[in-house]
C-alpha cells in the first residue's frame, strides 16, 4: 500500500493506482461490478493514508480513469441493482459468483 514517505508525483500516483487496479482485476472474478467495488475500496484506503491535499486531488482524478466510484455512488448503484431484483453485486442472485443465491433473503417462498 502507498505511504506518505513515497513520492507523490503524478507519475508515482498513476503507477500506484495501476497496481491497485491490477490487484482488483485479479480478485474480481471477471465481474466489472466487483472490480469497481474492489478498486474503489482500495483507493479509499489509499486516500485515508494521504494527508497532502494536492496528492489526494491527483489520486481522485487518476482513479476516475480506472472507474473509481465513491461510497455514495456505489451504494446508489447497489440500490438500483437491488430494485431491479439483482443482488448487491449486480447479478441475478442465482448467478452471482459470490454466492448471493444461497443467502436467505434471496430464497423466499414463492
Amino acid at each position: 500500500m502507498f505511504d506518505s514517505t513515497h513520492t507523490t508525483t503524478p507519475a508515482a500516483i498513476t503507477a500506484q493506482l495501476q497496481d491497485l487496479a491490477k490487484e482488483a482485476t485479479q480478485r474480481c472474478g471477471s465481474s466489472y461490478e466487483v472490480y469497481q467495488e474492489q478498486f474503489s475500496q482500495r483507493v479509499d484506503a489509499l486516500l485515508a493514508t494521504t494527508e497532502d491535499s494536492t496528492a489526494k486531488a491527483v489520486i481522485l482524478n487518476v482513479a476516475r480513469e480506472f472507474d473509481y466510484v465513491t461510497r455514495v455512488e456505489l451504494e446508489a448503484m447497489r440500490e438500483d441493482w437491488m430494485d431491479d431484483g439483482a443482488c448487491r453485486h449486480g447479478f441475478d442472485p442465482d448467478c452471482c459468483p459470490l454466492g448471493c443465491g444461497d443467502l436467505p433473503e434471496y430464497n423466499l417462498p414463492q
Side-chain angles (χ1 to χ4, degrees), residues 14 35 39 59-68:
T14 299
Y35 160 81
F39 177 71
I59 290 167
L60 286 170
N61 187 43
V62 174
R64 288 285 184 181
E65 295 175 22
F66 292 96
D67 296 328
Y68 169 79

Side-chain angles (χ1 to χ4, degrees), residues 9 12 19 64-65 108:
T9 65
D19 289 344
R64 288 285 184 181
E65 295 175 22
L108 301 174

Side-chain angles (χ1 to χ4, degrees), residues 1-28:
M1 181 57 69
F2 182 87
D3 74 45
S4 59
T5 62
H6 290 167
T7 305
T8 57
T9 65
I13 289 170
T14 299
Q16 179 69 25
L17 292 173
Q18 286 172 330
D19 289 344
L20 294 179
K22 181 180 178 183
E23 193 176 300
T25 299
Q26 292 171 341
R27 296 173 186 254
C28 74

Side-chain angles (χ1 to χ4, degrees), residues 100-108:
C100 284
D102 294 333
L103 297 174
E105 59 263 33
Y106 296 112
N107 290 308
L108 301 174

Side-chain angles (χ1 to χ4, degrees), residues 29-96:
S30 296
S31 164
Y32 173 73
E33 292 82 358
V34 174
Y35 160 81
Q36 200 169 31
E37 179 178 7
Q38 293 278 320
F39 177 71
S40 297
Q41 288 174 348
R42 286 169 171 75
V43 171
D44 289 342
L46 173 62
L47 288 167
T49 66
T50 306
E51 294 181 19
D52 180 344
S53 61
T54 302
K56 283 185 178 193
V58 173
I59 290 167
L60 286 170
N61 187 43
V62 174
R64 288 285 184 181
E65 295 175 22
F66 292 96
D67 296 328
Y68 169 79
V69 292
T70 66
R71 288 182 189 141
V72 171
E73 292 168 325
L74 183 59
E75 284 305 314
M77 289 173 10
R78 283 184 183 144
E79 286 178 24
D80 287 344
W81 298 332
M82 294 173 83
D83 286 347
D84 292 336
C87 71
R88 67 184 300 272
H89 304 106
F91 297 98
D92 176 306
D94 292 328
C95 297
C96 180

